[in-house]
């Protein structure tokens, strides 16, 4: 489904989405795996959600961001949502010069190894909104539709590419 299809008849698609989210019955569909080449010859795997799932993620993101961003430790090197990777790295370098220690959160394979329970514990300490926590857990556990056409379950890691991933990126437990 495309954005144009939803735009042509938003009530047909958005009302049922709102209804399912409000009732707690929304379950995200599998994310589509897409690999992009990196400069070092390796690939970065993205998880591309459906258009409607991006809308659902944006609803929860808009609710969570104001709650979780102010609680970030000033000692945590996080990637601001309005920065690209090079700008974020430059910000990390600047922060490292003024701190005794630091940890860069974009190390190789980090998103593939995020522990779901630790992530949910971190989010649970920043909000008591049960519906937001429930949907974040569901997004963490959503299946991946691999490029070879198979479906894969996920018990750890989170795909990069969804709307909610910047919120997760900022709260990666160590």
């Amino acid at each position: 489904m495309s954005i144009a299809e939803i735009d042509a008849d938003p009530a047909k698609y958005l009302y049922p989405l709102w209804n399912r989210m409000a009732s707690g019955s929304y379950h995200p569909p599998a994310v589509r795996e897409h690999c992009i080449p990196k400069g070092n010859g390796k690939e970065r795997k993205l998880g591309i959600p459906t258009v409607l799932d991006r809308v659902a993620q944006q609803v929860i993101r808009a609710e969570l961001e104001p709650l979780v961003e102010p609680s970030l430790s000033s000692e945590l090197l996080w990637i601001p949502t309005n920065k690209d990777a090079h700008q974020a790295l430059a910000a990390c370098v600047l922060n490292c010069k003024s701190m005794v220690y630091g940890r860069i959160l974009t190390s190789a394979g980090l998103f593939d190894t995020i522990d779901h329970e630790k992530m949910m514990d971190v989010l649970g300490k920043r909000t008591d909104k049960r519906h937001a926590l429930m949907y974040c857990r569901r997004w963490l556990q959503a299946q991946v539709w691999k490029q070879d056409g198979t479906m894969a379950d996920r018990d750890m890691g989170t795909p990069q590419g969804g709307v909610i991933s910047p919120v997760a990126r900022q709260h990666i437990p160590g």
Side-chain angles (χ1 to χ4, degrees):
M1 180 180 311
S2 70
I3 294 171
E5 287 176 86
I6 294 171
D7 199 35
D9 192 359
K12 177 180 177 182
Y13 300 105
L14 298 180
Y15 177 76
L17 175 64
W18 170 84
N19 195 24
R20 290 193 339 254
M21 287 190 74
S23 70
S25 65
Y26 178 74
H27 288 273
V31 295
R32 184 174 44 91
E33 181 181 75
H34 179 75
C35 297
I36 57 172
K38 292 172 61 174
N40 61 4
K42 295 183 179 181
E43 292 182 326
R44 171 173 290 148
K45 291 182 182 179
L46 301 178
I48 311 298
T50 64
V51 173
L52 282 176
D53 197 40
R54 283 185 240 165
V55 171
Q57 287 185 24
Q58 183 60 40
V59 168
I60 299 300
R61 177 184 176 179
E63 191 173 356
L64 283 179
E65 257 184 351
L67 298 173
V68 297
E69 281 197 25
S71 68
L72 289 174
S73 167
S74 61
E75 295 177 359
L76 178 63
L77 300 183
W78 61 284
I79 300 170
T81 55
N82 62 344
K83 303 255 186 232
D84 68 25
H86 296 286
Q87 292 170 319
L89 187 56
C92 287
V93 169
L94 256 167
N95 286 338
C96 285
K97 289 179 180 179
S98 65
M99 295 178 194
V100 176
Y101 64 92
R103 187 172 91 199
I104 297 177
L105 297 179
T106 57
S107 62
L110 178 69
F111 284 92
D112 299 333
T113 60
I114 291 174
D115 182 295
H116 289 178
E117 291 310 312
K118 286 182 181 178
M119 176 59 75
M120 293 308 301
D121 286 345
V122 169
L123 284 175
K125 290 177 183 164
R126 287 168 172 72
T127 184
D128 61 355
K129 295 185 179 222
R130 291 176 44 192
H131 68 284
L133 294 169
M134 174 186 67
Y135 286 123
C136 286
R137 180 176 297 280
R138 287 180 184 175
W139 282 310
L140 284 172
Q141 296 172 343
Q143 288 188 306
V144 177
W145 182 21
K146 311 271 265 162
Q147 289 185 321
D148 65 7
T150 62
M151 298 291 260
D153 290 331
R154 209 175 42 231
D155 58 1
M156 69 180 323
T158 183
Q160 296 182 68
V163 172
I164 204 80
S165 65
V167 174
R169 173 173 68 207
Q170 295 170 9
H171 295 87
I172 295 172

